[in-house]
Amino acid sequence: MGQDYYAVLELRRSATDADIKKAYRRLALKSHPLKCKEPGAPERFRQLAEAYDVLSDPMKKGIYDKFGEEGLKGGIPEEFGDDNPWTAGYVFHNNPNKVFREFFGGDNPFAEFFAEDGTELIVPFGGLRGRGAMKQDPPIVRDLYLSLEDLFYGCTKKIKISRRVMNEDDQTSTIRDKILTIDVRPGWKQGTRITFEKEGDQGPNIIPADITFIVQEKLHPRFKRTDDNLIFVATVPLGKVKAGTEPPPRVFVAGGLLTRLRVALRVSQALTGCAVPVKTLDGRLLNIPVNDIVDPKYCKVVPGEGMPLLHDPRRKGDLLIYFDICFPKKLTPDQKTLLRSALLS
């Protein structure tokens, strides 16, 4: 039978996120090898760190609650994972000090309670305020996924975070939620960084970490962005070759000229004198005329139909239309003979 992470933290399975944090705080301080000299303290400290590492993460906790330690560490079926048949199993990094340090802040929260020879100091009334140099925690970096529509119009995103906040006694702290508001400007690009200064966990003798969000663009079903331009690929299908009908007078296909054929090439979308429909990000339907010879490298540029420019949203980049020309998968011998005769005549 696998480990019971709830029992390790002396919790019931109905424990909330705040309960889990509170339990780890109490037990980790009690079992830390610097404070507890019992023989089993290091292993107990490691078990507490692993239990907290799992139960404090919503995804790991969800898998553990449903499948237990075996499912968590062995992987679960694809319907609960991403693209792979089985998810990768969880492996604890086996560094309890890392978990402790990330939770409390600083390399050693007990350092100010001990002298250089390891003996415990007597803390004067008023605590340790003002002792030691203040050190800021490393920044916390998170991705912010936005659609092209979000970046086209601009929008407001509200993100809830949970962080440690010092109480009025400046000695104890409480986990509290806070809403961070991000005003997305039209024209922001992938990689844009938004920083909230000192919004990380608070603690004695530390400066809270900055929280930074990095914009990532979601995949779009119609467009791909490049700088301030939008790329659209128009699929131009060619129908089956039929014999015995009159051909169109002139049809340009990928740079080749077919003229006065005795074979009709039924074209679903003409490559000359046609209009390509494009639905824009703001919902308009454009019918873009294409009167040039279309080859696989041809690009139709539509000025001013791209993404807004960050410093002047009234101006926009361009829409770049490329063509995916779909030729017939196969031809009968008669059709090949007719085409060969026409092209060589």
Side-chain angles (χ1 to χ4, degrees), residues 67-304:
F67 298 98
E69 184 187 15
E70 182 178 355
L72 177 69
K73 294 185 176 180
I76 59 173
E78 60 179 344
E79 60 263 34
F80 297 96
D82 294 325
D83 296 329
N84 297 322
W86 289 79
T87 61
Y90 164 74
V91 178
F92 180 55
H93 51 64
N94 211 32
N95 186 351
N97 289 317
K98 178 176 182 291
V99 177
F100 188 86
R101 182 169 58 250
E102 290 176 351
F103 185 92
F104 287 95
D107 293 331
N108 180 10
F110 293 101
E112 299 203 35
F113 291 90
F114 293 88
E116 292 183 0
D117 59 1
T119 58
E120 190 167 3
L121 296 173
I122 298 176
V123 181
F125 180 77
L128 296 167
R129 187 183 307 170
R131 297 186 54 202
M134 295 286 283
K135 181 175 73 172
Q136 185 172 21
D137 283 346
I140 301 167
V141 180
R142 295 289 184 268
D143 288 332
L144 176 65
Y145 286 91
L146 299 172
S147 67
L148 281 182
E149 284 81 2
D150 291 335
L151 298 169
F152 183 87
Y153 286 108
C155 63
T156 298
K157 295 291 183 180
K158 295 184 180 294
I159 301 173
K160 184 171 75 170
I161 62 170
S162 297
R163 61 176 189 154
R164 277 190 303 121
V165 178
M166 295 299 295
N167 296 325
E168 293 182 359
D169 60 10
D170 287 336
Q171 301 298 319
T172 60
S173 61
T174 305
I175 300 296
R176 295 179 185 172
D177 292 338
K178 181 173 182 177
I179 302 296
L180 300 180
T181 301
I182 299 177
D183 292 321
V184 178
R185 294 175 56 191
W188 271 7
K189 300 177 182 178
Q190 180 155 306
T192 298
R193 302 172 72 94
I194 309 98
T195 298
F196 294 87
E197 296 184 353
K198 301 178 183 178
E199 289 291 357
D201 289 341
Q202 299 176 0
N205 290 333
I206 65 169
I207 301 172
D210 295 339
I211 299 179
T212 297
F213 294 92
I214 301 179
V215 171
Q216 303 292 344
E217 292 179 1
K218 294 180 182 178
L219 292 177
H220 196 274
R222 300 193 306 280
F223 300 107
K224 180 179 179 181
R225 182 180 183 179
T226 172
D227 199 15
D228 294 317
N229 301 324
L230 291 174
I231 294 176
F232 178 82
V233 177
T235 300
V236 181
L238 299 179
K240 297 179 180 179
V241 174
K242 292 184 177 180
T245 58
E246 289 297 324
R250 298 171 70 88
V251 180
F252 292 96
V253 181
L257 175 61
L258 305 180
T259 175
R260 299 191 60 81
L261 300 179
R262 302 184 70 178
V263 177
L265 192 60
R266 179 167 57 84
V267 182
S268 299
Q269 291 184 23
L271 298 184
T272 60
C274 72
V276 176
V278 181
K279 186 177 181 180
T280 63
L281 290 175
D282 55 2
R284 291 174 295 122
L285 182 61
L286 303 179
N287 286 300
I288 309 300
V290 179
N291 298 312
D292 303 319
I293 297 175
V294 174
D295 60 47
K297 296 182 180 180
Y298 175 74
C299 175
K300 175 71 174 180
V301 179
V302 184

Side-chain angles (χ1 to χ4, degrees), residues 283-334:
R284 291 174 295 122
L285 182 61
L286 303 179
N287 286 300
I288 309 300
V290 179
N291 298 312
D292 303 319
I293 297 175
V294 174
D295 60 47
K297 296 182 180 180
Y298 175 74
C299 175
K300 175 71 174 180
V301 179
V302 184
E305 290 293 348
M307 295 294 292
L309 305 186
L310 179 60
H311 300 295
D312 186 2
R314 294 171 298 178
R315 299 172 54 204
K316 295 181 176 63
D318 298 333
L319 173 64
L320 311 178
I321 303 178
Y322 289 89
F323 293 85
D324 179 17
I325 304 172
C326 300
F327 289 88
K329 298 291 184 182
K330 58 183 179 180
L331 296 172
T332 66
D334 289 343

